[in-house]
Amino acid sequence: MDQQSSVRQNATPYALAVFGVLFASICFGLVPYFSRGLTDQGLAPYAVAFYRYILAAIVLLPALLMHRSKWREILWGVIAGAVMGLGWVGYVTALETVPASTVGVLYMTYPVFTIAIAWMLFGDQPTRRSLVAAGLIVIAAIIAGSPASVPPNQVPILIISLAAPFGFGFGICVLVHRLSRIVPLARIASVSLGSVIGLAPLIFSSDAGEILPKSGNGWLLVVGFGLVTALVPQLIYTVCSPIIGATRTAVIGSIELPTMFAVGVLAFGEVITVVQAFACALVLGAIALTQSCSTRTVTIVISKEPER
């Protein structure tokens, strides 16, 4: 085989990996579509969060059982999943009334929480570049939540929605510092199971009308939610992100935020203001700027091979 043929073969999986990360990130950005569709049918926000994680928890449970000897790492994953699942309730709650574009910008503040939690709990010193990126993201969040973007009465809801990026930030820190010794599928399984366990008390204490869809279309949304925004893109990320590297994955993955904006415009008839567009640009610029591991997404960390 000549050198040119070898280069072409190596380039093909790389190109497919780039497309895979792009596709998976767009899937993550579709969360507002499914989320608001389910809450409009009367489902409680915690039920919506539960349905996002339950499918992955069930499908990937065998991977968790195969590595049950790593129970300490699995327990950390379950704890992280519970925090992430409960935090995600705030995100779904905000999407009921606040524009998806605004909620999306606030959701993308998770790198700031990641840096702060890693520093305070695990002694992970932030780099200068990551601090600059975090500053840009904070400015974007302030702009997105300003009176020019949302009515004052929605500010408390926006503050509650920050529970989601906090949960993701905590999850990333646990994945980096505690789950590096188990395989990627077991990491996804432990976090998904933790989210289900964390949300289960709310599910069991609710009336059927708050947690069960009232139509066949509602159940289709539930299945699509679990497949399209969680299980399938997580698996694709797990395969593709190691091929192209964390930095390129983070940059390509930033398409998630514009996707949220597009969902708001096309599905909900929202109008993107200049202020919101500027906030979006700041977030995308911050993501492109930083190459720090402390600002990677949860799935990039999950996809890494376990340490020996």
Side-chain angles (χ1 to χ4, degrees):
M1 182 183 296
D2 60 25
Q3 186 175 2
Q4 288 184 344
S5 298
S6 177
V7 170
R8 283 195 297 269
Q9 285 190 350
N10 291 334
T12 300
Y14 185 89
L16 288 175
V18 170
F19 176 78
V21 169
L22 181 66
F23 174 78
S25 301
I26 291 173
C27 288
F28 289 133
L30 295 176
V31 164
Y33 173 78
F34 290 95
S35 175
R36 188 173 293 181
L38 290 170
T39 54
D40 285 349
Q41 293 202 12
L43 268 68
Y46 52 82
V48 176
F50 181 85
Y51 284 130
R52 188 186 185 204
Y53 295 106
I54 184 64
L55 186 59
I58 294 173
V59 172
L60 298 178
L61 183 59
L64 203 59
L65 296 176
M66 288 175 60
H67 298 87
R68 59 186 179 275
S69 61
K70 302 286 187 179
W71 64 269
R72 290 182 179 85
E73 288 82 0
I74 290 173
L75 180 60
W76 271 104
V78 170
I79 293 171
V83 174
M84 291 167 63
L86 291 171
W88 210 71
V89 174
Y91 176 72
V92 178
T93 301
L95 282 172
E96 289 185 281
T97 55
V98 180
S101 53
T102 300
V103 180
V105 170
L106 293 181
Y107 161 78
M108 296 300 286
T109 61
Y110 69 83
V112 179
F113 290 99
T114 305
I115 292 169
I117 294 171
W119 192 0
M120 291 186 291
L121 294 186
F122 299 103
D124 191 356
Q125 292 287 337
T127 65
R128 182 179 301 177
R129 182 175 293 184
S130 67
L131 289 175
V132 172
L136 292 176
I137 292 173
V138 169
I139 293 172
I142 293 173
I143 292 173
S146 68
S149 301
V150 297
N153 64 330
Q154 291 184 345
V155 172
I157 299 175
L158 292 179
I159 294 175
I160 293 173
S161 76
L162 291 174
F166 171 84
F168 273 102
F170 178 74
I172 292 173
C173 293
V174 170
L175 286 164
V176 169
H177 295 281
R178 293 293 183 266
L179 300 188
S180 61
R181 296 185 182 276
I182 59 177
V183 299
L185 286 182
R187 295 172 204 169
I188 299 175
S190 65
V191 171
S192 299
L193 180 62
S195 298
V196 170
I197 292 174
L199 293 165
L202 296 173
I203 297 296
F204 292 140
S205 63
S206 301
D207 296 331
E210 295 178 303
I211 61 174
L212 296 177
K214 300 177 178 60
S215 66
N217 181 57
W219 283 110
L220 286 176
L221 281 174
V222 166
V223 175
F225 195 32
L227 283 174
V228 175
T229 72
L231 179 60
V232 171
Q234 282 180 333
L235 293 177
I236 292 175
Y237 247 99
T238 300
V239 173
C240 295
S241 58
I243 297 175
I244 66 175
T247 299
R248 290 185 180 88
T249 299
V251 174
I252 296 171
S254 64
I255 192 67
E256 180 179 351
L257 182 56
T259 301
M260 294 180 187
F261 275 54
V263 168
V265 173
L266 299 176
F268 308 134
E270 297 173 0
V271 177
I272 304 300
T273 65
V274 174
V275 172
Q276 291 170 323
F278 181 65
C280 177
L282 282 177
V283 171
L284 297 180
I287 293 171
L289 170 68
T290 183
Q291 298 180 20
S292 170
C293 65
S294 61
T295 58
R296 290 177 294 186
T297 65
V298 172
T299 320
I300 292 174
V301 180
I302 284 177
S303 66
K304 289 181 63 180
E305 290 301 316
E307 295 177 358
R308 302 300 180 187

